[in-house]
Amino acid sequence: MSPENTSPVIALEDRTRDAAKLYSPSAARNREPVRAVLAERLPKQARVLEIGSGTGEHGEACCAARPDISWQLTEIDPDSLASCAARAEESEGLLAPLSLDAGAPDWTSGLAPVDVLACLNVIHIAPWSVAEGLAAGAAKLIARQGFVFLYGPFLEGEKTAPSNREFDASLKSRNAEWGVRPIDAVTALFAGHGLSLAERIEMPANNLSLIFRRAS
Ligand SMILES: C[S@@+](CC[C@H](N)C(=O)[O-])C[C@H]1O[C@@H](n2cnc3c(N)ncnc32)[C@H](O)[C@@H]1O
């Protein structure tokens, strides 16, 4: 990072801009596969809370596919909050973003229960404490029949794709607290909060969608 650019890295890609709206190259590639997974699993009239919404494009795509749902955007980064706000103004069901740090203690206070907590491509580019906050918050917020949707790359021992190993090393070289998370560690973390891994769905480019539900 040059001395002139000291803002924290929030996305490892060059996002383009149209006024406040940001466009993410990776979201352009994965929003349709993500939309397909969620559109068929979201309960009717689902209330979705997304953590780390980035540009807001995943919520926008899901609300277009499922006009019955509401999707609460949240972010920690001001530019991303502005992008989410611009999209929320144009999209039915997409709710104006809340400023939220999932690594903060008690980040759930004041939030209403939800059916689905969604978090895409966040836990590898944030300290592990954010994953911990996410799991603890999910246990408080999701309804009995609800679920957590996590999307991104994961380490899976021997079967980890070489590209994900390389990505892990590159993340750690940028920030020692970042890294592609081992699926076993993530599963154990959520299990500790009463949320069991219910589905592991292979996605393009060696990513996974993981769905956690309350243990019965
Ligand atoms: C790689 S981007 C992913 C954005 C979007 N979910 C996507 O998949 O396109 C990671 C996002 O996580 C957000 N983020 C990082 N730490 C966070 C935290 N502690 N709480 C909430 N959001 C966070 C960043 O601001 C950034 O927008």
Side-chain angles (χ1 to χ4, degrees), residues 135-179:
K140 289 182 191 156
L141 285 180
I142 61 165
R144 180 86 221 137
Q145 304 301 327
F147 63 86
V148 177
F149 175 78
L150 275 192
Y151 170 90
F154 293 90
L155 299 180
E156 294 193 283
E158 296 280 291
K159 63 179 177 182
T160 303
S163 60
N164 282 343
R165 286 190 201 287
E166 286 157 24
F167 188 35
D168 179 47
S170 123
L171 286 167
K172 285 174 174 148
S173 72
R174 282 170 176 263
N175 185 326
E177 289 193 286
W178 294 357

Side-chain angles (χ1 to χ4, degrees), residues 26-95:
S26 62
R29 292 190 295 273
N30 63 34
R31 72 181 167 217
E32 283 310 307
V34 164
R35 180 202 53 72
V37 167
L38 281 177
E40 69 175 28
R41 286 172 177 78
L42 292 174
K44 277 194 182 127
Q45 299 181 327
R47 300 156 298 174
V48 181
L49 174 67
E50 184 186 12
I51 305 302
S53 301
T55 60
E57 289 166 281
H58 293 108
E60 180 180 58
C62 289
C63 286
R66 285 285 306 271
D68 58 307
I69 66 167
S70 66
W71 184 292
Q72 177 66 64
L73 299 161
T74 77
E75 250 299 334
I76 191 174
D77 163 59
D79 269 5
S80 304
L81 278 164
S83 178
C84 288
R87 288 204 152 80
E89 276 180 20
E90 294 175 359
S91 181
E92 193 71 25
L94 200 57
L95 305 180

Side-chain angles (χ1 to χ4, degrees), residues 49-53 74-77 98-108 111 117-119 122-123 126-138 140-141:
L49 174 67
E50 184 186 12
I51 305 302
S53 301
T74 77
E75 250 299 334
I76 191 174
D77 163 59
L98 303 174
S99 178
L100 189 154
D101 175 358
D106 299 333
W107 65 265
T108 56
L111 294 176
L117 186 81
C119 185
V122 173
I123 65 169
W128 180 245
S129 57
V130 171
E132 291 174 329
L134 196 67
K140 289 182 191 156
L141 285 180

